[in-house]
Structures are given as structure tokens and as C-alpha cells.
Amino acid sequence: MRPVKLNILGACKPFILATILFSMCAVSCKSTTKANNEKNKTAESLEVVKGFFEAINSGDMQKAASYMADNHHYTGPMFSTNNPEDYFKALGKFEMEFAVETQDLIGYEGSVTHISILKVLSPVQATIPCCEVFDIENGKIVRQRFYFDTALFPSP
Amino acid sequence: MNNTNKSLEVVQSFFNAINARDMGEAASYMSDNHEYTGPMFSTNNPQDYFKALGAFEMEFAVETQDLIGYENSVTHVSILKVVSPVQANIPCCEVFDIENDKIVRQRFFFDTALFPKQ
């Protein structure tokens, strides 16, 4: 009786190859999905901040508030607040007409850096370089950190 | 290493050098045409930047709170801690532009009202 030679490795080759190919595809698909998720989150965060400033510049504070979370937390050199109502109340106290001119909008996932010129239009004029860092969660601004030099801010 | 990670590494190393008071090392992360704009001075090259910084005659440290990077841009949120001759904690934000692994632009934002009078 002739012995039967079993080439297990040879027999398994197609299976091993298929497994490797499948694993490579799975890893590749996973990283593509992750990259797409990051891209989508970044795009959403940028849209939120853009929408917020468009509303601010058109004087529609209700619309601006719709981009903010109920626990919106603002810190800046002149005041700090913990909800949208207090934020707009504090903003309204300045009794000034102003516009925000965006210079750069840089986003990564839930973070957006907004570099701008704050233009005080009336009753006096001033041009103030500013930087704001936004944290976005579930399509809403949860934290807004504002940086500028108050020395450039017009006296009331 | 992708662009974002490289940019973050450049800024992190820059601040490590600043905090170690190794201005020669810090300068190695800046391009020759490094442009700085801030509320107290602006410069167009690393030499002028360190000269202007040195004029303050203060000991300080930079405490990083957030480092957010995307490709060639890095946002550095920090507390500038003036250690001596007086103490002060100043919330700051800096935005860096990185090209060819060097800082080409650095925009600094803070409230000078919090800065100790000399």
C-alpha cells in the first residue's frame, strides 16, 4: 500500500490567502471609515461655527442660540457665562454695533479655531484681532473660549 | 508621520525648548522668515522675536491646556505663567502655521490687562 502524502499547507493555501486578503480589506475599510467619520465630524463642526457667526452678523441672536448647547460655557476676558441666555444678556450690555470678520476657520473633529477681526461699528469704531476656540458636541457649541486684548476695546 | 502629527510635534518641541529656556533649540523649530504677531510686539524673524521676548526681563513658563492640530495648523491654548519678579496667570491662545516642519507664522492672542506692569 502506497502511503498517501497530505500536503496540508498546499491544501490550505487558498484559504490562508483569502483570510489575509479579507483581513487587509477589513483593516483598510476600518481606517477609511475612521477617516470619513473624522472628515464628516470636522465638516459638521465647521458648519456649526459658520452658521453661528452668520446669525450673529445678521443680528439674529435666536438663530445663533440654536447652534449652542443648553449648557454652553463661555469664557472670555470681559465676562464668562454658563448658558446661552446669560451669554446674550452679557453681550447685549455692551450696547454697540459690531460685526465679526472671519480670517481663518480651522477645524478638526469637534474643535474649531476661529480667527477674526471684531469690528466695532458704532457708537465708536475699533478693530480688534480675536481668536476663539469652539468645542462642538452633537452638532452644538458646548464651549467657547475667547481671546483678545481688552486694551483695544473702546471704553463705553 | 502625517502632516498633523508632524505639526503637533514641532509645536510641542518648541514649547518644551521655551520652558527649558533653550532659545537656541526653540529657534531651530522656526523658519528664517518666521512671522510673529501679538498684542505687545510683532516680528519678522526669530532673532527679533527672541530679542523682543528678552526685553520683558521676566521668568515665565507656558502651561499647555489644549493642542489642536489639523494638517499645517496648530492651535495652542495655554496659561502663560509669569513666575518672577511678579506672578500672573494669563489665558492665551496661539495659532501656528507650519511649513516644511518649521513654524512660519505664530499669531498670539491674550489680554494685556492681565500682564504685569514692568
Side-chain angles (χ1 to χ4, degrees), chain B residues 72-88:
Chain B
N72 297 327
S73 290
V74 175
T75 303
H76 181 252
V77 181
S78 66
I79 301 289
L80 176 66
K81 295 197 164 208
V82 182
V83 179
S84 83
V86 287
Q87 281 83 49

mmCIF file of all heavy atoms in Angstrom, chain B residues 72-88:
data_model
loop_
_atom_site.group_PDB
_atom_site.id
_atom_site.type_symbol
_atom_site.label_atom_id
_atom_site.label_comp_id
_atom_site.label_asym_id
_atom_site.label_seq_id
_atom_site.Cartn_x
_atom_site.Cartn_y
_atom_site.Cartn_z
ATOM 1 N N ASN B 72 -1.415 71.617 8.567
ATOM 2 C CA ASN B 72 -0.307 72.539 8.871
ATOM 3 C C ASN B 72 -0.654 73.597 9.918
ATOM 4 O O ASN B 72 0.118 74.539 10.115
ATOM 5 C CB ASN B 72 0.150 73.240 7.582
ATOM 6 C CG ASN B 72 0.689 72.235 6.598
ATOM 7 O OD1 ASN B 72 1.279 71.221 6.983
ATOM 8 N ND2 ASN B 72 0.462 72.482 5.327
ATOM 9 N N SER B 73 -1.815 73.465 10.543
ATOM 10 C CA SER B 73 -2.238 74.453 11.546
ATOM 11 C C SER B 73 -2.299 73.823 12.925
ATOM 12 O O SER B 73 -2.821 72.724 13.075
ATOM 13 C CB SER B 73 -3.627 75.000 11.204
ATOM 14 O OG SER B 73 -3.558 75.804 10.063
ATOM 15 N N VAL B 74 -1.801 74.547 13.901
ATOM 16 C CA VAL B 74 -1.895 74.072 15.292
ATOM 17 C C VAL B 74 -2.405 75.214 16.169
ATOM 18 O O VAL B 74 -1.873 76.329 16.121
ATOM 19 C CB VAL B 74 -0.530 73.583 15.825
ATOM 20 C CG1 VAL B 74 -0.622 73.222 17.300
ATOM 21 C CG2 VAL B 74 -0.035 72.370 15.037
ATOM 22 N N THR B 75 -3.434 74.923 16.946
ATOM 23 C CA THR B 75 -3.934 75.876 17.935
ATOM 24 C C THR B 75 -3.421 75.442 19.300
ATOM 25 O O THR B 75 -3.605 74.291 19.697
ATOM 26 C CB THR B 75 -5.478 75.891 17.947
ATOM 27 O OG1 THR B 75 -5.936 76.209 16.636
ATOM 28 C CG2 THR B 75 -6.019 76.913 18.931
ATOM 29 N N HIS B 76 -2.782 76.368 19.976
ATOM 30 C CA HIS B 76 -2.204 76.071 21.287
ATOM 31 C C HIS B 76 -2.913 76.938 22.324
ATOM 32 O O HIS B 76 -2.763 78.159 22.332
ATOM 33 C CB HIS B 76 -0.699 76.388 21.247
ATOM 34 C CG HIS B 76 0.022 76.111 22.523
ATOM 35 N ND1 HIS B 76 0.475 77.122 23.352
ATOM 36 C CD2 HIS B 76 0.377 74.949 23.113
ATOM 37 C CE1 HIS B 76 1.081 76.561 24.398
ATOM 38 N NE2 HIS B 76 1.033 75.265 24.275
ATOM 39 N N VAL B 77 -3.714 76.307 23.160
ATOM 40 C CA VAL B 77 -4.418 77.020 24.231
ATOM 41 C C VAL B 77 -3.605 76.798 25.503
ATOM 42 O O VAL B 77 -3.263 75.664 25.833
ATOM 43 C CB VAL B 77 -5.861 76.484 24.401
ATOM 44 C CG1 VAL B 77 -6.593 77.247 25.485
ATOM 45 C CG2 VAL B 77 -6.625 76.559 23.094
ATOM 46 N N SER B 78 -3.287 77.889 26.189
ATOM 47 C CA SER B 78 -2.353 77.753 27.319
ATOM 48 C C SER B 78 -2.610 78.782 28.418
ATOM 49 O O SER B 78 -3.407 79.710 28.256
ATOM 50 C CB SER B 78 -0.924 77.942 26.805
ATOM 51 O OG SER B 78 -0.752 79.271 26.356
ATOM 52 N N ILE B 79 -1.893 78.578 29.507
ATOM 53 C CA ILE B 79 -1.804 79.591 30.558
ATOM 54 C C ILE B 79 -0.347 80.048 30.578
ATOM 55 O O ILE B 79 0.558 79.221 30.747
ATOM 56 C CB ILE B 79 -2.197 79.021 31.945
ATOM 57 C CG1 ILE B 79 -3.630 78.469 31.952
ATOM 58 C CG2 ILE B 79 -2.020 80.079 33.035
ATOM 59 C CD1 ILE B 79 -4.741 79.482 31.872
ATOM 60 N N LEU B 80 -0.151 81.345 30.363
ATOM 61 C CA LEU B 80 1.200 81.906 30.470
ATOM 62 C C LEU B 80 1.407 82.250 31.940
ATOM 63 O O LEU B 80 0.702 83.096 32.494
ATOM 64 C CB LEU B 80 1.337 83.156 29.583
ATOM 65 C CG LEU B 80 2.671 83.903 29.671
ATOM 66 C CD1 LEU B 80 3.821 83.068 29.142
ATOM 67 C CD2 LEU B 80 2.602 85.218 28.890
ATOM 68 N N LYS B 81 2.354 81.567 32.555
ATOM 69 C CA LYS B 81 2.586 81.771 33.993
ATOM 70 C C LYS B 81 3.819 82.644 34.162
ATOM 71 O O LYS B 81 4.944 82.179 33.895
ATOM 72 C CB LYS B 81 2.794 80.434 34.687
ATOM 73 C CG LYS B 81 1.544 79.563 34.633
ATOM 74 C CD LYS B 81 1.601 78.445 35.638
ATOM 75 C CE LYS B 81 0.183 77.897 35.798
ATOM 76 N NZ LYS B 81 -0.102 77.332 37.046
ATOM 77 N N VAL B 82 3.593 83.881 34.569
ATOM 78 C CA VAL B 82 4.718 84.748 34.884
ATOM 79 C C VAL B 82 5.143 84.380 36.303
ATOM 80 O O VAL B 82 4.337 84.407 37.230
ATOM 81 C CB VAL B 82 4.341 86.244 34.760
ATOM 82 C CG1 VAL B 82 5.546 87.123 35.057
ATOM 83 C CG2 VAL B 82 3.801 86.548 33.372
ATOM 84 N N VAL B 83 6.411 83.982 36.429
ATOM 85 C CA VAL B 83 6.882 83.402 37.687
ATOM 86 C C VAL B 83 7.606 84.441 38.542
ATOM 87 O O VAL B 83 7.441 84.480 39.758
ATOM 88 C CB VAL B 83 7.813 82.195 37.372
ATOM 89 C CG1 VAL B 83 8.352 81.563 38.636
ATOM 90 C CG2 VAL B 83 7.088 81.161 36.515
ATOM 91 N N SER B 84 8.417 85.284 37.904
ATOM 92 C CA SER B 84 9.093 86.349 38.653
ATOM 93 C C SER B 84 9.459 87.483 37.697
ATOM 94 O O SER B 84 9.553 87.252 36.486
ATOM 95 C CB SER B 84 10.349 85.794 39.345
ATOM 96 O OG SER B 84 11.438 85.766 38.448
ATOM 97 N N PRO B 85 9.587 88.718 38.146
ATOM 98 C CA PRO B 85 9.628 89.162 39.541
ATOM 99 C C PRO B 85 8.242 89.266 40.194
ATOM 100 O O PRO B 85 8.146 89.440 41.408
ATOM 101 C CB PRO B 85 10.263 90.555 39.430
ATOM 102 C CG PRO B 85 9.900 91.035 38.067
ATOM 103 C CD PRO B 85 9.803 89.832 37.199
ATOM 104 N N VAL B 86 7.177 89.183 39.404
ATOM 105 C CA VAL B 86 5.817 89.151 39.973
ATOM 106 C C VAL B 86 5.126 87.910 39.427
ATOM 107 O O VAL B 86 5.635 87.285 38.492
ATOM 108 C CB VAL B 86 5.013 90.415 39.576
ATOM 109 C CG1 VAL B 86 5.497 91.633 40.336
ATOM 110 C CG2 VAL B 86 5.071 90.650 38.081
ATOM 111 N N GLN B 87 3.980 87.571 39.994
ATOM 112 C CA GLN B 87 3.266 86.389 39.490
ATOM 113 C C GLN B 87 1.998 86.809 38.750
ATOM 114 O O GLN B 87 1.326 87.766 39.160
ATOM 115 C CB GLN B 87 2.873 85.441 40.629
ATOM 116 C CG GLN B 87 4.011 84.565 41.131
ATOM 117 C CD GLN B 87 4.883 85.284 42.122
ATOM 118 O OE1 GLN B 87 4.385 85.882 43.063
ATOM 119 N NE2 GLN B 87 6.192 85.240 41.919
ATOM 120 N N ALA B 88 1.720 86.089 37.684
ATOM 121 C CA ALA B 88 0.467 86.313 36.946
ATOM 122 C C ALA B 88 0.136 85.067 36.136
ATOM 123 O O ALA B 88 1.043 84.354 35.689
ATOM 124 C CB ALA B 88 0.604 87.515 36.029
#
